Amino acid sequence: MTVQSITWAPLAPVLVLVAGLVFVLLADLMLPLGVRRMVLPAVSAVTCLGAAGSAAWLRGGPGPPGTFCSSPGSGSASRCAYVLGDTAGFLTVVLCLAAAAVLVLALAQLRADVEGVTPAGEYCLVLLAATIGAVIVAGSRDLITLVVGLETLTVPLYAAVAFRRGSNAGPEAALTLLVVSVTSTALMLLGIGFLYGLTGTMHVDALAEVLTAGGGVGDLALADVAVVLLLAGLAFKVGAVPFHVWAPSTYQGAPIPVAAYLSSVSKAGGIAGLIVVLPAVSAGSPAAATWIALLAAVSMTVGNLVAMRQRHLVRLLAWSGIAQTGYLLVGLAVLSGRSDQALSGAGATLAYLAVYVLMTVGAFACVAAINGTSDTVATSDTATTDTGRAVSEGPSVESVRGLATEHPRIAAAFALFLIGLAGLPPALLGLFGKVVVVRAAFTGDAGWLGILVALNTVLAFVYYLRVAAALFARTGAAKESASPLATTLVGARPGRSVPAAMGVLVAALALAALVAGFWPDLIIGAAPLLSPFGE
């Protein structure tokens, strides 16, 4: 008889998030509206910081790293459904810190919502629930736990995307995400069903053993089909081409903090799922690594080419995120039966993921700050509701022209994050992250991917530097030629100041990017399965 052991210590990050969620739920029932808008996001952000702290403390600790463990038989090592090892601990810290930063953005948005249109309690609840799912994915060691975590991550985001009141873009974006997510889940479950039918196990370690057995199920064509279906479902979650069609419209229709969450925490959760399953399936199915390599090549190329034509900042960051997904997949593409390649590829992906999340959350924080300082139609895309009220759909590239004149700190920070995503000095952290990825590609006998990363990095300079240059461009002539009728439609007024919480967040993220640029081991060297940078 199989006996399952349960240890609560590895579940500490999940339990902290659940406790915070319950507290927010109860506080939302008792606190007045004005207090809710300030207290609930702050409590939620502190909860995420607590979960990150518990993961960092438990990571590599002396206690057992796994829970819900069972021993399949005498002489066999126990297998656990959830393991908070080095990789899961690192991912949990990254996920929770990113979620905390997004909740600070939500705090600024909710405080600016003086009419109380956006429900503060529900806003925080869905983001905390999605973060719980992402943390579960990071530590999952069997396919059932993986699916539960992915759905816990995805389902709350349907509501979060639709929180944009007064515009049809929010419900449309939520419906797009729902349809695509259901399709991806169906593909993934079909692949998991085939794998279970072939191998008789759900645990990834046992799955790898069965698939690599000579003359076994790993040689069947159905095994390759099952692996492709499983990876296709995960490719939807990370927005890899050609499974990316939902991302630009969903990002634009969602509130900016939710778009930041989708681009950082949600994408990192999908990458965590790939890190869980790829070492197991690629060892028995060599086609898996080839398929991931093709996804990486197409995603980075298509993402950069389409981003060059974007005029809306959120859509530009969405397509940029698709290109960045390609860079993230490069490290995973070198996974194979050789353990040294697997360690190098997974380590490079984890290191670049931390860099990408930092820069992306910072860029979206700057976009949120820009969106909150101007309501003019002349500088923003707008939609009109049935009541005739104009609702800003977010800033365009032209709307940030000359931003340094009124908000020099926000402009400087935004330029820093864009340059960091491009991989240029002074944001050296982005450059070091790309070097790690290219090094993994050449180490893993995928030099052509490393060359493609370098070429696409040069291609990305076009749109990153175009936006960065617009921030410091002169706007005297443009302001004189602005349409008076356009500005009258929404009652334009002088630019407002940046909320204090948002300003502190942008400054903290910019400082972290600068410091880590000169001390890359602070972030890149912290990634497990990767030696400190420069060794």
Side-chain angles (χ1 to χ4, degrees), residues 40 48 76 116 131 142 149 188 247 292 310 348 417 431 436 452 459:
L40 298 186
C48 291
S76 300
T131 305
D142 66 54
M188 185 170 58
I292 292 295
Q310 299 304 308
F417 295 129
L431 175 62
V436 169
L452 198 57
L459 191 64

Side-chain angles (χ1 to χ4, degrees), residues 132-292:
I132 292 172
V135 171
I136 292 174
V137 171
S140 61
R141 296 303 299 167
D142 66 54
L143 298 181
I144 295 177
T145 307
L146 175 68
V147 171
V148 170
L150 285 172
E151 292 308 297
T152 306
L153 166 63
T154 305
V155 172
L157 295 178
Y158 305 152
V161 170
F163 273 149
R164 189 168 193 172
R165 303 299 179 86
S167 172
N168 292 329
E172 290 173 0
L175 182 60
T176 301
L177 179 61
L178 170 64
V179 172
V180 173
S181 180
V182 168
T183 304
S184 68
T185 301
L187 290 175
M188 185 170 58
L189 289 175
L190 184 60
I192 290 174
F194 285 154
L195 283 175
Y196 181 71
L198 290 170
T199 63
T201 182
M202 285 287 188
H203 198 278
V204 291
D205 294 337
L207 197 66
E209 294 175 3
V210 176
L211 290 176
T212 54
V217 297
D219 298 329
L220 299 176
L222 184 59
D224 290 333
V225 173
V227 169
V228 169
L229 288 172
L230 172 60
L231 296 182
L234 290 170
F236 273 107
K237 305 297 184 183
V238 300
V241 176
F243 309 104
H244 67 289
V245 292
W246 62 273
S249 59
T250 300
Y251 283 28
Q252 186 175 1
I256 292 178
V258 176
Y261 191 95
L262 288 169
S263 190
S264 57
V265 181
S266 179
K267 189 184 294 287
I271 293 294
L274 286 170
I275 292 175
V276 169
V277 302
L278 264 176
V281 300
S282 62
S285 177
T290 303
W291 196 70
I292 292 295

Side-chain angles (χ1 to χ4, degrees), residues 8-20 47-48 50-59 82 84 88-89 92-93 96 131-132 135-136:
W8 293 107
L11 291 173
V14 177
L15 295 176
V16 170
L17 291 171
V18 170
T47 298
C48 291
S54 65
W57 181 59
L58 291 170
R59 178 185 168 194
Y82 182 88
L84 190 67
T92 300
V93 171
C96 292
T131 305
I132 292 172
V135 171
I136 292 174

Side-chain angles (χ1 to χ4, degrees), residues 473-492:
R474 299 192 178 188
T475 59
K479 287 182 178 179
E480 292 175 1
S481 61
S483 169
L485 177 61
T487 57
T488 303
L489 288 175
V490 292

